[in-house]
Amino acid sequence: MLTERQIELLNAIIKEHTESAEPVGSVEVVAKYNFKCSPATIRNEMAKLINMGYLEMFHTSSGRIPTKLAYKLYLEEILEETEIPVLQEVAMKQRLWGSRNDFYKLLKDSTLSLAESTKVLSIATTQEGFVVFSGANNLLENKEFEDNLTAKTALTLLDNYEILNEIFKKSIFGDEIRYVIGDEIGIQNLERSAFVFSPYQTPNGKSGYISIFGPSRMQYDSIVPSLKYTKKLVQELAETL
């Protein structure tokens, strides 16, 4: 069991790493997140969290980054979803409304809308093996994908329905919204990446997955509600087909 301070520390480190993409040190955590203790105490807590598997050292930096275990704890117990602004909801619905009579165009426009709102890569699949995506350029804006090999590996996924479907089906973490984080993806070079996705089912029997792919440190608090709302729109608008 983690102490309240350890949970607060993990939350702070995840927030800081999400914003900076850099390893997080004790001095900056104390200064920015108002911990009522010294950097030395925070370093001791970080050492404990490393031993428990929640933090790791990244290369030779003195800072720490969250592990898969830390993100899972965050998603299960700490995450507070932000509310989608009404104007954004309206804009997303208007974006998809014109595609309501063409399911495949509806899926394409759903990925466009989701990529615009989340600033990462959005992918949708169907049970027949159709794959559509938007926002590949968003992916390349992240430090984790500056390496050519990592970027190439990630983009290769977009041409392989079988691999995507295997990743989605093997997830055991999550309910309506599911997650595959880090080495769970099972593909070399994507250890600092994550999928956030949800299965959809339309009234006329079409099914598949709507997903987000990006760095493990993505903005889950805003991505999760955007994904939920996009899925809701796809299922609702598909009723007219």
Side-chain angles (χ1 to χ4, degrees):
M1 295 292 292
L2 298 181
T3 66
E4 183 177 344
R5 182 162 66 188
Q6 287 170 340
I7 291 174
E8 290 176 359
L9 177 57
L10 271 181
N11 190 25
I13 291 172
I14 288 172
K15 285 183 177 180
E16 188 64 21
H17 183 59
T18 297
E19 293 177 4
S20 69
E22 299 292 340
V24 181
S26 57
V27 174
E28 59 195 294
V29 166
V30 171
K32 189 170 181 178
Y33 294 92
N34 300 315
F35 281 92
K36 306 302 181 184
C37 56
S38 68
T41 299
I42 292 299
R43 283 194 294 275
N44 288 335
E45 293 286 22
M46 284 181 166
K48 294 176 184 177
L49 291 170
I50 288 174
N51 290 335
M52 288 187 282
Y54 290 99
L55 295 178
E56 64 180 335
M57 297 183 67
F58 188 65
H59 299 321
T60 59
S61 169
S62 60
R64 305 291 182 265
I65 63 172
T67 64
K68 172 184 65 181
L69 191 62
Y71 284 116
K72 286 188 170 184
L73 176 72
Y74 173 77
L75 292 166
E76 288 182 320
E77 301 185 19
I78 302 174
L79 177 67
E80 295 181 2
E81 297 178 23
T82 59
E83 188 173 344
I84 302 175
V86 174
L87 289 177
Q88 183 180 331
E89 287 189 350
V90 171
M92 292 173 73
K93 189 166 187 176
Q94 287 178 338
R95 180 71 174 269
L96 302 187
W97 180 257
S99 307
R100 66 191 184 280
N101 295 319
D102 183 336
F103 183 70
Y104 297 102
K105 189 173 188 303
L106 178 63
L107 278 187
K108 176 62 178 177
D109 286 346
S110 73
T111 64
L112 282 167
S113 175
L114 194 53
E116 288 175 359
S117 64
T118 61
K119 308 304 180 187
V120 284
L121 173 64
S122 173
I123 309 167
T125 68
T126 70
Q127 60 188 359
E128 298 87 6
F130 179 75
V131 179
V132 63
F133 62 90
S134 299
N137 58 315
N138 292 337
L139 198 66
L140 301 178
E141 293 295 322
N142 291 280
K143 188 172 183 178
E144 290 83 350
F145 299 96
E146 289 179 351
D147 176 73
N148 287 338
L149 185 56
T150 301
K152 182 178 179 180
T153 301
L155 296 178
T156 299
L157 291 175
L158 303 176
D159 296 321
N160 199 316
Y161 169 80
E162 288 75 18
I163 291 178
L164 287 171
N165 201 44
E166 181 182 338
I167 291 170
F168 295 150
K169 284 188 172 181
K170 72 181 180 182
S171 172
I172 58 173
F173 176 54
D175 188 11
E176 177 189 2
I177 302 297
R178 304 174 188 176
Y179 309 89
V180 177
I181 302 173
D183 59 10
E184 291 177 342
I185 296 174
I187 298 176
Q188 190 175 3
N189 304 315
L190 299 183
E191 292 83 2
R192 297 182 67 201
S193 308
F195 279 93
V196 183
F197 60 98
S198 185
Y200 69 83
Q201 178 80 48
T202 70
N204 59 357
K206 294 186 182 298
S207 63
Y209 295 92
I210 299 176
S211 68
I212 286 293
F213 175 71
S216 302
R217 60 178 181 88
M218 67 178 84
Q219 298 274 4
Y220 295 102
D221 58 343
S222 59
I223 283 173
V224 169
S226 292
L227 180 58
K228 286 180 178 177
Y229 186 64
T230 300
K231 171 188 171 179
K232 176 176 177 287
L233 288 177
V234 168
Q235 293 183 153
E236 286 181 354
L237 294 175
E239 289 185 23
T240 64
L241 294 172

